[in-house]
């Protein structure tokens, strides 16, 4: 993709991480196990591409609760790349350092920040981030910030794929972003320091 074409593009990112029904087992931490990414052309109003990076956890395992929620299994994520490699791929193949990026809430941004600091991995994204959940809440004048599935219902959009699957959630969040953009309710990205 040439740089002039890439200028109007944004990355919509959704991560899934190891999780448990209660507290993490002693000595473990929540780690990213899947990165879903949808490339959006805001000017054209289109979702251009969807990507999935499976990430092999180093300090935790996929619990039964996590599998039930996400559908991801330990043998599946064992086939993934390391977190450092996932960050390298985001920067090199998905222009994460050049494009503004979007997530549903701030969890994904904070999880990347924490995990990059803990593993001494270079943060892959630039600092122009938009919290789509906050933008949606403001655009609809809601008191509480809805989950992604609830926001799709409010907007009259279908839930495509499996909820709590990074690739599918990024695709659905991208639909909400385009919905807000078409209504002239898409904000300018906010700069955050990692």
């Amino acid at each position: 993709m040439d740089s002039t074409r890439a200028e109007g593009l944004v990355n919509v990112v959704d991560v899934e991480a190891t999780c448990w029904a209660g507290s993490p087992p002693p000595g473990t931490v929540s780690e990213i196990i899947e990165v879903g990414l949808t490339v959006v052309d805001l000017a054209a109003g289109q979702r251009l591409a969807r990507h999935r990076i499976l990430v092999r956890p180093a300090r935790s395992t996929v619990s039964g609760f996590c599998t039930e929620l996400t559908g991801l299994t330990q043998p599946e994520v064992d086939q993934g790349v390391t977190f450092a490699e996932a960050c390298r791929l985001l920067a090199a193949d998905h222009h994460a350092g050049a494009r503004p990026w979007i997530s549903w809430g701030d969890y994904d941004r904070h999880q990347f920040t924490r995990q990059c600091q803990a593993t001494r991995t270079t943060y892959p994204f630039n600092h122009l981030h938009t919290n789509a959940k906050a933008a949606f809440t403001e655009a609809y004048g809601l008191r509480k910030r809805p989950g992604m599935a609830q926001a799709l219902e409010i907007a009259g959009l279908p839930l495509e794929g499996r909820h709590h699957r990074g690739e599918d959630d990024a695709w659905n969040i991208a639909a909400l972003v385009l919905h807000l953009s078409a209504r002239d309710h898409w904000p300018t990205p906010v700069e955050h320091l990692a």
Side-chain angles (χ1 to χ4, degrees):
M1 195 172 292
D2 68 297
S3 61
T4 56
R5 174 97 172 105
E7 282 182 23
L9 304 182
V10 296
N11 287 335
V12 177
V13 175
D14 185 80
V15 302
E16 301 304 327
T18 50
C19 55
W20 302 268
S23 298
T28 64
V29 294
S30 182
E31 298 174 278
I32 293 170
I33 53 175
E34 182 189 23
V35 180
L37 185 145
T38 296
V39 180
V40 173
D41 184 334
L42 284 172
Q46 293 181 330
R47 297 178 285 188
L48 300 180
R50 60 193 288 163
H51 305 280
R52 177 183 194 217
I53 302 171
L54 282 178
V55 184
R56 186 172 58 249
R59 296 175 47 204
S60 62
T61 57
V62 177
S63 68
F65 173 82
C66 189
T67 295
E68 189 176 313
L69 184 67
T70 67
L72 296 167
T73 65
Q74 187 66 46
E76 187 177 9
V77 299
D78 282 344
Q79 302 302 308
V81 298
T82 64
F83 177 70
E85 177 64 8
C87 289
R88 190 197 69 72
L89 289 170
L90 285 166
D93 296 351
H94 303 292
H95 311 284
R99 291 181 188 152
W101 68 293
I102 298 162
S103 62
W104 192 259
D106 282 325
Y107 169 82
D108 306 80
R109 184 171 61 83
H110 291 311
Q111 181 65 31
F112 264 104
T113 301
R114 279 191 301 269
Q115 199 161 336
C116 284
Q117 288 172 347
T119 61
R120 296 186 177 145
T121 301
T122 302
Y123 187 74
F125 299 103
N126 73 23
H127 300 294
L128 293 175
H129 175 261
T130 304
N131 177 335
K133 184 190 279 193
F136 187 90
T137 303
E138 185 175 322
Y140 275 88
L142 303 173
R143 279 197 236 158
K144 288 188 171 184
R145 292 183 176 181
M148 184 206 70
Q150 184 184 8
L152 288 166
E153 284 181 33
I154 292 167
L157 297 171
L159 173 65
E160 298 179 60
R162 180 186 176 124
H163 191 21
H164 299 300
R165 197 63 180 252
E167 181 182 10
D168 292 338
D169 283 357
W171 186 254
N172 286 304
I173 295 163
L176 288 164
V177 168
L178 291 173
H179 170 77
L180 292 177
S181 181
R183 294 171 47 130
D184 291 326
H185 284 293
W186 189 248
T188 304
V190 175
E191 188 162 351
H192 294 277
L193 298 178

